Structure formats: structure tokens, C-alpha cells
Amino acid sequence: MVRLLCTLVLLLMVFSVCQAGSEVSASETYVTSGMVQTVEVELQDSEDGDSSDLVLFFGRFHPFLVHLPIGFLLFAILLEFISIFPRFEYLKSTVSFALAVGGLSALAAGITGYLLSFGGGYDEELLSYHKWLGTSVIILSLVAFILRTYYYDHPVFRKVFRVILIFLAVIVMSAGHFGGSLTHGSDYLFRYMPQTLKTWMNVEIEAEEQIALIEDLDTARVYDHIIYPIIRTRCESCHNNDRREADLMMTSFDQMMKGSENGPVIQEHQAEESELFKRLVLPERDEDRMPPRGRRQLTHDQIKLVAWWIEEGVPSTQTVSELELSDEISDILHKLTVDGQSFYEKTVVPKAEESLLDTLRTHGFRISPVAEDLNFLQVGLSRSVTAVSAEAMELLRSASEQITWIDFSGLSVTDQDLSPLSDFKHLTRLNLSNTSIGDSTLLMAGTMENLDYLNVYDTQITDGGLQHLEELESLSSLFLWKTKVNHEAIESLQEKLPNLYINYGHEF
């Protein structure tokens, strides 16, 4: 009789959760069918707002409670399968308790999560997955508790119980993944996964949208070409047709100017009084900061541009030439143009295949990224390697698109050995000091339109080789000490490239 009563109580709790889930689903159906009044709106539009505030107050306990079922249920699963071994058989007595606490905390997390969903601002598809996976966790954990507590001695029910535990582990982790995706973005789990593992698992991460460079700054429209690209890449993910946090839409100028549920977010000519700007400059840990912590943040320059735009009266159609620019804003705007970008900012290359890089490393090359967020590579050779074979150079050519720094200093290489470098159009730094190269290599270097740094210290370079660099306007640093170059040739090159820094040692 007691078993039956407990079973009925637990099934009643499951039914209530399912019923709550169906109510949320019905609310979504209303929105899809175009009906104006939804459960969410009813809650938010109560007379004094106290009801909706209370709902969200309890809903915000969800992040705190949701970790309890994850820990207890996975712990219960671990205990069950460890207790199969005679040495740990004594742990069996704790499985029911862990399942009970895990199931009840899952129920509490599910209810608070359901209340939290009324706040809106979540991707409907991800929310639906998270909701039903969470409901499945509650149901399976309670069923598992019943089987473990009352029917475990039956061999068939014991097998069913353990199969349910395996499914429960998978669903708990899946529910957690979709919950994290709701908060941090759908690619949160996989964004920094090693490329080899991404390829093996066939995981594709959508590249973050980049802001297009401006061709002609004077004719660029301030909102369309400067401000809106910032909003589109930093704000729109939370303020669009599918996810309208605080009832604020930012997909167009008119929608943004309508403001949020709390009123206008922009006060013309008053940046510091505008809610939009104030939230951009809040401390990173402040829950009201926008974009929220974990999202792609605005740069300092972008924040200054937003402030300038508001102070200028939030122009919607005017061009840059029609507005007043301070020296600081002029410098920031110049960085948005093609001419104002550095080589690395305006050049995008695909990521090199890890298999190719692994092969290059087996040939003695040291390869690493130039920076964390760039696909460009720097290349050197292991200390044990004293020469580069023709085969290795041909193999290196396969990664020429990504290689931007090369250091072959001190190697036994000649002009002929380095002939494949003519295909390395993205080279910006080349160190060939203490090698046997001559003028032929400088003839090749003179065609590298992005070359910024060249070190040919202690080589066979002559005056004739130096002439090949006279048209290389990108070159900013040249090191020539202990070469066969004369002062006259250096002075001639300096006249052609007045901004070039030439280091010829103390003798110059």
C-alpha cells in the first residue's frame, strides 16, 4: 500500500511538470499563430506588475538550482555502476537517496526554469529543446527512483533500471548543453575545440561576422556604414524578431528609436543620459551591462563612436562629411577604412590544415600562430636542423598562404634553396641573417608587397641587390650590417624610401 501511494504521488508530480510544459508549448503556439495575447504578456501586463516580478524573482533561482540535479544524478549513476563490483557493493544503499535528491532538485529546477522563461529573450528552438530535455530528466529520475527503491530485486527491472540510468546520463548532459547554449550562444561548447577534433566530429563553427571596411569615408553614411554594423554584430543577437530582450528591437533605426519596455534608450545629443550608452560602459560584471558578460563586447573605439553619434543627434541618413569630427573621432574613423587597416586586419586567410602542419613539424619546422585570433603562422627550424632540403621547402610552399613570419637565420641555405619563397605573398617578416644568400634573394624579396621587416645581416648582399628593394614601399626595417653594401647604395635607398629604418651597424 505504501509503495502504491508513493508511486501515485511521484506520478502526480511528473504529470504536473508535463502539464507545465504543455502550457509553455501552448504559449508558443499562440505566438506562432499570430495571436497577440500570450501567457507571457498576461504576466507582464498585470495591473501593478507585482505578479510578473514575483514570477521572475523565483525564476532566477534556476541557475542556482540547476546544478544540484546534475551533480546528484550523475553521482547516483556512478554509484550504481561502481557498486556492481564486490569491493564497492556497500555503496548500493546510497543510490536511492542520491536519485531522490537528484529527482526532487530536478523538479525544483524545472519549475524555476519554467518561470524564468516568462522573462523572454531566449531562442525559441533552443528553449524548446532545453525544456523537453529537462522534463525528460525529471521523469526518468523519478522512474529510476521507483525502480531502484521498490523493484530492484527483480532481475528484469534491474536491467531496465540500468538502461534508464544510461539514457538519463546522456539526457542530463544534453539538457545542460542546451541550457548553456541559451545563455552563452549555440557554439559555446565547441568554439575552442581543437581543429583536429572538430574535423573528426564534423563540427562546423560559424565564423563571427566581421564589419566591412569603408572604401570612401567622406561619402559613408554614419548610421548605415558605421553605427549599424556595430549594432548588427554586437547587439542584434539579443534584440531581433526571434529574441526581443526587454522588448527592444535593434534590427532597424526606427525600431531602435521606439525604445524598450522601459521607454526610449537614446536621448538625442545626450550620450551620458542615454540608456543605450550607459549600459555599454557599466563594469563588466554588472548584470545590466550590455552586451552581457560572455558575449562579444564592443571595443573602446566602437563605444566612442556610439557616443559621438548620439551627441551628433543620432543622424540616420547623413554622411560623415556632413558632421563635425574631432581629431580623436577622425582617427577612429580612419581605422575603419581600407587604408587605415594593418595588413593583419584587412587580410583574411583560411586556417591551415592540422595534418599539413604536423607533417611540416616532422621535417624539423617550428610552426606556431602569430596571435591567438589569427590564422597567420610563424615558421622557424629546430635547433638540431642546420639546412633546409628542397623537399621540405616544397612542402612548406603548401602553407604559403598562412605563413607571414619566417626565421631561417643561421642556416646553411642559398638563393636557390629559397626560390620557393617567391610564392609567399603574405610574408611580412623575413630573417635570413648569418646565411649564404646573395642578391637573387633580394630580387625575390622586392616582389613581396607586404614585407615589413628584412634582416640580411652577415650575408653576401651587394649594392646591386639593394636596388631591388627601391620599390618596396611596405618595408619599414632593414638590417644590413656585415654585408657587401656600400654607404652610397644605402643613401640611395634611403632617398627612395625615406621612412625606411636602415641599420648598418656602428660603421654607418
Side-chain angles (χ1 to χ4, degrees):
M1 185 67 181
V2 173
R3 291 183 181 182
L4 179 61
L5 181 60
C6 290
T7 302
L8 289 175
V9 171
L10 291 172
L11 289 176
L12 181 61
M13 294 170 68
V14 171
F15 174 77
S16 66
V17 172
C18 293
Q19 183 65 25
S22 66
E23 289 177 8
V24 175
S25 179
S27 171
E28 293 168 353
T29 304
Y30 296 157
V31 174
T32 304
S33 61
M35 296 183 66
V36 175
Q37 191 172 11
T38 63
V39 174
E40 288 92 336
V41 174
E42 287 178 357
L43 284 170
Q44 291 172 355
D45 292 343
S46 58
E47 286 186 9
D48 54 8
D50 289 344
S51 298
S52 63
D53 288 345
L54 193 61
V55 165
L56 293 178
F57 168 74
F58 285 112
R60 290 199 170 192
F61 281 91
H62 177 70
F64 166 75
L65 293 171
V66 77
H67 296 92
L68 294 176
I70 295 174
F72 274 104
L73 292 176
L74 292 180
F75 184 55
I77 295 167
L78 179 65
L79 289 175
E80 172 61 27
F81 286 101
I82 286 181
S83 66
I84 293 175
F85 300 98
R87 181 180 176 183
F88 301 103
E89 191 173 2
Y90 66 93
L91 295 174
K92 285 183 178 180
S93 59
T94 60
V95 174
S96 291
F97 173 77
L99 283 173
V101 176
L104 291 174
S105 59
L107 179 63
I111 293 173
T112 53
Y114 166 63
L115 297 177
L116 184 62
S117 69
F118 287 131
Y122 300 103
D123 181 279
E124 295 294 338
E125 185 177 7
L126 288 177
L127 179 61
S128 178
Y129 286 139
H130 182 58
K131 174 188 66 179
W132 289 114
L133 286 170
T135 302
S136 299
V137 168
I138 298 170
I139 294 172
L140 287 179
S141 61
L142 296 179
V143 169
F145 172 77
I146 294 171
L147 291 175
R148 182 62 183 80
T149 305
Y150 304 115
Y151 304 101
Y152 189 77
D153 293 335
H154 195 289
V156 174
F157 283 125
R158 188 184 307 128
K159 291 180 180 179
V160 172
F161 167 70
R162 288 173 177 169
V163 170
I164 287 176
L165 288 188
I166 294 173
F167 278 107
L168 182 58
V170 173
I171 293 174
V172 165
M173 290 186 285
S174 300
H177 166 62
F178 284 108
S181 297
L182 280 172
T183 306
H184 303 291
S186 58
D187 61 352
Y188 178 73
L189 181 62
F190 303 109
R191 174 161 293 280
Y192 297 105
M193 177 185 288
Q195 186 59 43
T196 304
L197 195 56
K198 286 181 184 177
T199 303
W200 182 71
M201 296 181 64
N202 196 28
V203 173
E204 293 185 4
I205 302 298
E206 184 178 350
E208 291 182 338
E209 183 181 0
Q210 302 297 317
I211 297 176
L213 299 178
I214 298 172
E215 296 286 344
D216 183 2
L217 188 59
D218 288 339
T219 60
R221 291 189 297 277
V222 175
Y223 179 76
D224 292 339
H225 298 138
I226 298 171
I227 301 301
Y228 179 62
I230 298 172
I231 293 171
R232 187 183 66 248
T233 56
R234 301 299 196 272
C235 310
E236 237 183 52
S237 60
C238 295
H239 300 282
N240 55 59
N241 292 322
D242 297 323
R243 183 176 182 180
R244 193 182 303 190
E245 288 203 5
D247 200 30
L248 174 63
M249 291 276 285
M250 303 186 75
T251 52
S252 74
F253 177 83
D254 291 337
Q255 289 171 325
M256 181 171 56
M257 294 305 293
K258 288 180 180 177
S260 68
E261 61 186 13
N262 299 315
V265 295
I266 295 176
Q267 301 292 333
E268 295 183 18
H269 303 289
Q270 301 179 69
E272 294 186 359
E273 299 300 321
S274 299
E275 193 67 24
L276 173 65
F277 175 76
K278 287 194 290 186
R279 291 190 177 229
L280 294 179
V281 295
L282 286 172
E284 186 177 346
R285 293 183 177 274
D286 194 306
E287 66 174 15
D288 290 327
R289 178 188 169 96
M290 294 296 155
R293 190 181 181 190
R295 300 278 181 172
R296 194 179 177 193
Q297 300 294 311
L298 276 72
T299 66
H300 291 298
D301 283 353
Q302 289 172 336
I303 293 175
K304 288 177 181 177
L305 287 175
V306 171
W308 165 70
W309 174 64
I310 295 174
E311 290 292 342
E312 289 294 316
V314 291
S316 59
T317 59
Q318 287 93 327
T319 63
V320 172
S321 60
E322 296 178 84
L323 300 181
E324 199 172 309
L325 307 179
S326 65
D327 291 340
E328 181 183 34
I329 295 299
S330 294
D331 291 340
I332 294 174
L333 290 175
H334 179 67
K335 296 177 186 177
L336 304 180
T337 66
V338 176
D339 294 337
Q341 297 288 294
S342 70
F343 167 76
Y344 300 108
E345 291 173 317
K346 63 185 178 184
T347 308
V348 179
V349 297
K351 193 176 182 68
E353 294 292 335
E354 283 296 329
S355 58
L356 171 61
L357 301 184
D358 290 340
T359 303
L360 288 171
R361 291 183 181 108
T362 62
H363 282 74
F365 289 109
R366 291 182 291 107
I367 299 181
S368 59
V370 170
E372 181 181 2
D373 56 346
L374 293 177
N375 291 332
F376 285 108
L377 303 172
Q378 54 184 324
V379 176
L381 281 161
S382 302
R383 292 183 179 179
S384 58
V385 179
T386 59
V388 185
S389 66
E391 178 189 0
M393 284 302 300
E394 285 299 322
L395 189 61
L396 192 66
R397 197 204 299 259
S398 302
S400 61
E401 188 175 10
Q402 289 82 19
I403 294 174
T404 187
W405 295 359
I406 288 182
D407 183 356
F408 284 169
S409 59
L411 296 180
S412 177
V413 293
T414 63
D415 294 331
Q416 186 176 357
D417 296 329
L418 298 179
S419 59
L421 291 183
S422 59
D423 291 334
F424 289 61
K425 301 302 182 184
H426 289 155
L427 269 183
T428 60
R429 295 175 61 90
L430 182 58
N431 188 349
L432 301 174
S433 60
N434 294 292
T435 63
S436 300
I437 64 155
D439 294 342
S440 295
T441 295
L442 257 61
L443 174 61
M444 176 181 58
T447 66
M448 298 175 179
E449 58 184 22
N450 295 305
L451 193 62
D452 175 71
Y453 170 99
L454 178 61
N455 191 335
V456 288
Y457 157 78
D458 196 11
T459 61
Q460 303 301 310
I461 302 299
T462 69
D463 295 350
L466 212 58
Q467 293 177 3
H468 300 312
L469 303 178
E470 291 179 353
E471 303 297 325
L472 194 57
E473 295 182 357
S474 63
L475 193 63
S476 64
S477 299
L478 177 63
F479 295 83
L480 290 172
W481 190 39
K482 295 182 70 173
T483 62
K484 297 180 179 181
V485 176
N486 294 315
H487 294 174
E488 292 77 10
I490 295 175
E491 291 173 353
S492 176
L493 180 63
Q494 192 75 79
E495 289 178 7
K496 298 289 179 62
L497 300 174
N499 296 322
L500 174 62
Y501 167 73
I502 302 176
N503 187 308
Y504 188 61
H506 66 275
E507 296 178 2
F508 182 66

